[in-house]
């Protein structure tokens, strides 16, 4: 039997209802605040990700699903959505009428990471991006949206972690100090960090290997290197979060694995997920629109991992049971034909209807209705048809009423309107 590819998964009925609820709640919240949906494609030219995420990041170095299409052009299954949204914003000049635009997008991402609990090779994200404003209030607002969404989805024990990565003016000075520190520090760095030290030293900060953590304990802190503008931007983010009564932790190690971030970065973490503890992450990426060939327009955004969110949401499958409102139980050829017509008409009128076509006995049909948790059963037998009426049974009260054949759909509709 052919199995799933390692690191991939099916989202099955029973689970998918929670996903739909998460997506619906997110859409509702974003649309309240003027975000519009955008749907970029899943495949893009590899160069888009190499240039935006950064050549020396784990994602671009070793995690992308890249292949050449028939024209030998390198294309990649998107590992994240921001680059595509930015490309789209530039390509369609979405800034022309008003540079301030807010978008959200929902869909699958692909990274060839080592599979483990909470980490998949195809996973799903909800992204939100705000273009055209440099204001720290945008950063605070994005964190507010995350916290609000998680509370609507009954996610327990979340914590907002924030940091500032500075800007192209102040970050190089910090990088220099960090490289100096790393070359003189005693202790051993893991092989990844030895490489990062040369190519992307900021990433050493968030390495989880204990020996690297020990080395980094005495490392310089970015906070001490922020220029006055970055420093006041960060203060304003903190002050706004306080005003909104959103608790946060300043996390000096939060550098995130993508090169395009400037100033604020943030993550929503939870104690529930073990090692893969981030449910959402994001930050400001003021230079990215320009770097990808657009005008100099600042932006900020975040990505939520739906897979992880579904795992920790306090809501569960039973909250979304979709039992039929009505189960149509027909016996005999003529009754089945008529009942089929009614079942289609009921479904068309928005009543959740189920019918069994297998020609079971009444006993078998009632058993099935029970198993499906149907609220009511419409019993359509040859005898009832001859009498010109059918029976409606309330499965909870066991009460049975007779409905004239001419009024079946109408009578049931009226009943559900009353409920
Ligand atoms: P990132 O795009 O790396 O900033 O990640 C944003 C969010 O996406 C994370 O906080 C996770 O919730 C989720 N995520 C990232 N990578 C994976 C993965 N391999 N499997 C499942 N969720 C992921």
């Amino acid at each position: 039997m052919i199995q799933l590819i390692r690191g991939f998964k099916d989202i099955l009925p029973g689970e998918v209802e929670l996903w739909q609820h998460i997506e619906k709640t997110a859409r509702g919240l974003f649309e309240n605040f003027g975000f519009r949906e955008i749907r970029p494609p899943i495949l893009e030219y590899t160069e888009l990700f190499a240039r935006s995420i950064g050549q020396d990041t784990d994602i671009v170095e070793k995690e992308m699903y890249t292949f050449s299409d028939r024209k030998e052009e390198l294309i990649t299954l998107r590992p994240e959505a921001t680059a595509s949204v930015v490309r789209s914003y530039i390509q369609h000049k979405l800034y022309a009428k008003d540079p301030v635009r807010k978008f959200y997008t929902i869909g699958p991402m692909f990274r060839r990471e080592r599979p483990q609990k909470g980490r998949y090779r195809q996973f799903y994200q909800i992204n939100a991006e705000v273009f055209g404003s440099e204001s720290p209030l945008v950063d605070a607002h994005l964190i507010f949206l995350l916290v609000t969404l998680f509370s609507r989805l009954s996610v327990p024990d979340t914590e907002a972690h924030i940091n500032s990565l500075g800007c192209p003016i102040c970050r190089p000075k910090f990088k220099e100090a960090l490289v100096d520190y790393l070359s003189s520090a005693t202790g051993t760095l893991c092989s990844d960090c030895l490489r990062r030290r040369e190519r992307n030293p900021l990433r050493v900060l968030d390495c989880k290997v204990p020996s690297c953590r020990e080395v980094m304990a005495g490392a310089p802190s970015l906070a001490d290197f922020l220029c006055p503008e970055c420093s006041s931007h960060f203060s304003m983010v903190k002050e706004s979060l306080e005003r909104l009564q959103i608790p946060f932790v300043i996390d000096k190690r939060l550098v995130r694995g993508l090169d395009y971030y400037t100033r604020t970065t943030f993550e929503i973490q939870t104690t529930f997920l073990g090692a893969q503890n981030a449910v959402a992450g994001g930050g400001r990426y003021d230079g990215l629109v320009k770097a990808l060939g657009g005008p100099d327009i600042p932006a900020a955004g975040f990505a939520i991992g739906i897979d992880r969110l579904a795992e920790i949401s306090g809501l569960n499958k039973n909250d979304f049971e979709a039992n039929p409102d009505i189960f149509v139980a027909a016996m005999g050829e003529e009754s089945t034909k008529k009942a089929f017509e009614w079942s289609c008409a009921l479904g068309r009128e928005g009543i959740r209807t189920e019918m069994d076509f297998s020609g079971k006995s009444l006993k078998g049909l009632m058993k099935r209705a029970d198993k499906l948790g149907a609220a009511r059963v419409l019993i359509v037998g040859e005898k009832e048809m001859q009498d010109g009426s059918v029976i409606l049974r309330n499965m909870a009260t066991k009460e049975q009423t007779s409905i004239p054949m001419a009024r079946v759909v109408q009578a049931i509709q009226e009943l559900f309107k009353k409920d």
Side-chain angles (χ1 to χ4, degrees), residues 111 113 118-120 123 125 256 258 278-281 303-305 308:
R111 292 182 199 169
E113 293 182 89
R119 199 200 266 165
Y120 310 97
F123 58 98
Q125 286 187 341
R256 317 210 11 86
L258 304 92
V279 216
I304 305 168
R308 292 186 196 167

Side-chain angles (χ1 to χ4, degrees), residues 234-288:
F234 196 42
S235 301
M236 187 63 176
V237 174
K238 291 184 277 188
E239 190 193 315
S240 313
L241 291 175
E242 276 159 13
R243 270 176 195 278
L244 294 169
Q245 295 181 328
I246 296 173
F248 60 87
V249 178
I250 296 173
D251 187 342
K252 290 193 295 188
R253 293 177 183 282
L254 190 68
V255 294
R256 317 210 11 86
L258 304 92
D259 273 1
Y260 51 62
Y261 287 117
T262 51
R263 294 191 166 165
T264 320
T265 55
F266 51 83
E267 245 175 35
I268 305 291
Q269 301 185 356
T270 160
T271 44
F272 268 70
L273 287 168
Q276 302 307 316
N277 61 355
V279 216
R284 183 159 275 289
Y285 50 92
D286 288 342
L288 187 58

Side-chain angles (χ1 to χ4, degrees), residues 56-287:
D56 299 325
T57 56
D58 286 353
I59 296 180
V60 172
E61 263 183 0
K62 50 188 188 199
E63 294 170 0
M64 295 204 302
Y65 284 95
T66 296
F67 44 93
S68 54
D69 73 358
R70 288 171 194 236
K71 280 187 24 255
E72 301 295 305
E73 280 163 334
L74 277 185
I75 53 178
T76 293
L77 280 170
R78 63 176 183 197
E80 58 109 45
T82 303
S84 303
V85 176
V86 173
R87 184 213 29 80
S88 184
Y89 178 75
I90 300 169
Q91 182 169 348
H92 304 289
K93 296 196 171 50
L94 299 177
Y95 49 82
K97 223 166 53 189
D98 180 357
V100 180
R101 298 296 297 266
K102 294 177 264 184
F103 303 109
Y104 73 88
T105 190
I106 302 178
M109 309 295 152
F110 303 84
R111 292 182 199 169
R112 209 176 179 293
E113 293 182 89
R114 198 167 54 76
Q116 63 184 86
K117 190 170 157 40
R119 199 200 266 165
Y120 310 97
R121 290 179 166 178
Q122 174 174 337
F123 58 98
Y124 292 75
Q125 286 187 341
I126 302 173
N127 277 75
E129 320 285 351
V130 179
F131 291 89
S133 170
E134 237 180 335
S135 169
L137 296 183
V138 168
D139 312 19
H141 191 238
L142 289 168
I143 297 169
F144 159 80
L145 286 176
L146 286 171
V147 170
T148 307
L149 179 65
F150 291 162
S151 116
R152 285 193 185 168
L153 294 170
S154 311
V155 178
D157 293 342
T158 55
E159 203 169 55
H161 286 229
I162 64 169
N163 191 20
S164 175
L165 294 184
C167 66
I169 294 169
C170 51
R171 202 187 317 176
K173 287 179 197 140
F174 170 69
K175 238 183 193 171
E176 229 171 83
L178 185 63
V179 171
D180 277 354
Y181 173 80
L182 287 173
S183 53
S184 63
T186 48
T188 36
L189 292 175
C190 70
S191 58
D192 276 342
C193 282
L194 285 173
R195 201 166 30 87
R196 287 175 186 140
R197 183 172 68 181
E198 309 307 323
R199 301 179 60 178
N200 198 354
L202 250 63
R203 290 301 315 279
V204 182
L205 281 171
D206 71 346
C207 182
K208 304 237 160 45
V209 174
S211 62
C212 295
R213 293 214 141 196
E214 255 170 53
V215 173
M216 295 311 284
S221 168
L222 227 166
D224 300 329
F225 286 79
L226 294 182
C227 62
E229 289 76 17
C230 286
S231 185
S232 84
H233 185 101
F234 196 42
S235 301
M236 187 63 176
V237 174
K238 291 184 277 188
E239 190 193 315
S240 313
L241 291 175
E242 276 159 13
R243 270 176 195 278
L244 294 169
Q245 295 181 328
I246 296 173
F248 60 87
V249 178
I250 296 173
D251 187 342
K252 290 193 295 188
R253 293 177 183 282
L254 190 68
V255 294
R256 317 210 11 86
L258 304 92
D259 273 1
Y260 51 62
Y261 287 117
T262 51
R263 294 191 166 165
T264 320
T265 55
F266 51 83
E267 245 175 35
I268 305 291
Q269 301 185 356
T270 160
T271 44
F272 268 70
L273 287 168
Q276 302 307 316
N277 61 355
V279 216
R284 183 159 275 289
Y285 50 92
D286 288 342

